[in-house]
Amino acid sequence: MKNLSVITALFMASFGFGQSRFHMTQYMMHQPFINPSSMGMYDNMNGSVFYKNQWTGFDGAPQLIGFNFNSPVGGLNNRLGFTVINDRIGVNNNTELSAAYAYTLKLSNKANLSFGVSATLRLSQSDYAEVETIITDPEFQANTPTLAMPNFKFGSYFRTKKFYVGFALPNLLKNTIEYDNEFSGSTSFDFSDWHFYLHSGYSWEISDKFDLNSSLLFKHVSGAPFQLDLSTMFVVKKRFGFGLNYRTSNDLAAMLRFRINPMLEMGYSYDYSFSALKNYSSGSHEIMLIFDIYSKENKPENAMPRY
């Protein structure tokens, strides 16, 4: 019965993968991963790479690897970015390639508004031959081919020196895998399957040496419960930070971040689940490295430009 439950879960995950979105604990550190328009918050070339090992100790648990690079082009109002996300869970392996563009409007000397779009190609492949079945099932006799499906993202982003708020639609189309004697990918439009992201943050300057940064991420899709991430971080001398993140799926995370030098920043988070998963997993680990490339004209005065 246990093997049958696992097989059923993997089978359902493979057919519904197109509407399941990865989640990051350190979403506030490099926001182009969740919203293409947030590239407008940077005046310099920058990027990030991260790795997340979710539910450590759980066989077939998700593993997530991501890379992003973005840069101003033709002036500070236009930005181009490229993102690669690989999400592996069980026998399912999904890779998302995205090219993004963002345009920034300067509303005043202290406020900017950005809009961004992203074209995405999703590559999906499942190793069904590795699944142990209790009956002979032709759908689990061989691995699926690599299926390519297009999609699009949209986002908007408003920021001042101490405050930001963004809104994103990470999937404008619905990608699904269908089986009719052979596997094939399908792309359609279905408003009920849209995901909605709303994220915001504020930075309080307590003194010359100490800051308190807070952020939230609200996620919703039809048919699933609302999910809210609340984060707060205490920053010392704009170089070292430590804080907590709470997720309404009953997860609590400890976060650390350190500005190594003006070009490199590193972050780490450890998530612990208070749900039934705690009986099978020792927690989740996420590590992120962010790099900034400055010219002499736009090098920041402080060592931690983002929050």
Side-chain angles (χ1 to χ4, degrees):
M1 181 60 69
K2 180 180 178 181
N3 290 338
L4 180 60
S5 298
V6 173
I7 293 170
T8 302
L10 291 173
F11 186 74
M12 293 303 293
S14 69
F15 275 73
F17 84 93
Q19 300 312 308
S20 61
R21 297 297 304 169
F22 65 87
H23 72 263
M24 302 171 57
T25 300
Q26 301 175 92
Y27 59 88
M28 74 297 292
M29 285 189 62
H30 195 72
Q31 299 172 50
F33 282 121
I34 63 172
N35 186 344
S37 64
S38 63
M39 294 189 298
M41 74 180 292
Y42 307 112
D43 294 333
N44 58 284
M45 289 189 293
N46 66 92
S48 176
V49 59
F50 78 94
Y51 172 74
K52 187 179 187 73
N53 188 355
Q54 192 170 338
W55 305 336
T56 304
F58 194 96
D59 190 21
Q63 295 188 42
L64 191 66
I65 300 174
F67 169 79
N68 169 264
F69 177 79
N70 61 85
S71 172
V73 290
L76 296 180
N77 290 340
N78 301 280
R79 290 164 179 82
L80 292 178
F82 179 72
T83 302
V84 181
I85 300 288
N86 179 260
D87 186 8
R88 185 176 182 90
I89 175 171
V91 298
N92 302 311
N93 189 5
N94 302 303
T95 300
E96 185 177 281
L97 309 174
S98 301
Y101 168 78
Y103 183 80
T104 301
L105 299 171
K106 189 173 182 179
L107 303 181
S108 68
N109 291 332
K110 298 181 179 180
N112 292 333
L113 177 63
S114 301
F115 297 94
V117 293
S118 177
T120 299
L121 182 65
R122 184 148 189 171
L123 307 175
S124 177
Q125 193 271 331
S126 299
D127 298 329
Y128 283 146
E130 297 181 6
V131 178
E132 297 181 5
T133 62
I134 57 177
I135 60 174
T136 302
D137 190 328
E139 296 180 5
F140 290 90
Q141 296 302 304
N143 298 334
T144 70
T146 299
L147 304 174
M149 291 161 284
N151 217 311
F152 297 92
K153 304 177 184 181
F154 170 79
S156 58
Y157 193 87
F158 172 82
R159 74 175 178 102
T160 64
K161 183 178 180 180
K162 295 182 177 295
F163 171 78
Y164 73 84
V165 59
F167 174 78
L169 300 171
N171 284 92
L172 295 179
L173 300 177
K174 180 180 180 180
N175 298 138
T176 55
I177 296 178
E178 299 176 349
Y179 181 80
D180 185 10
N181 296 323
E182 63 179 13
F183 289 97
S184 62
S186 174
T187 300
S188 61
F189 179 84
D190 189 346
F191 177 79
S192 64
D193 284 316
W194 276 12
H195 286 67
F196 297 90
Y197 286 2
L198 179 66
H199 55 118
S200 183
Y202 192 86
S203 178
W204 285 271
E205 186 176 345
I206 300 175
S207 68
D208 293 339
K209 297 182 179 180
F210 304 106
D211 296 282
L212 183 64
N213 299 336
S214 63
S215 58
L216 64 86
L217 172 62
F218 174 82
K219 295 184 285 187
H220 176 63
V221 62
S222 178
F226 295 97
Q227 187 176 94
L228 180 65
D229 284 51
L230 295 171
S231 303
T232 184
M233 178 166 285
F234 191 67
V235 180
V236 181
K237 296 183 179 180
K238 301 187 185 300
R239 293 186 63 87
F240 175 75
F242 58 92
L244 294 173
N245 171 276
Y246 173 74
R247 189 176 300 116
T248 53
S249 55
N250 214 9
D251 298 318
L252 184 66
M255 299 184 297
L256 296 173
R257 60 189 299 185
F258 179 68
R259 171 61 68 169
I260 302 171
N261 58 47
M263 293 185 64
L264 291 175
E265 184 179 3
M266 184 174 68
Y268 169 79
S269 68
Y270 171 76
D271 298 37
Y272 183 79
S273 176
F274 290 93
S275 67
L277 284 171
K278 66 181 179 180
N279 299 321
Y280 308 96
S281 170
S282 58
S284 304
H285 302 271
E286 182 180 294
I287 186 168
M288 179 179 289
L289 184 65
I290 301 172
F291 59 90
D292 291 282
I293 303 174
Y294 298 107
S295 65
K296 294 181 179 180
E297 292 77 17
N298 66 2
K299 186 175 181 180
E301 295 179 0
N302 58 58
M304 189 177 281
R306 61 173 59 79
Y307 59 92

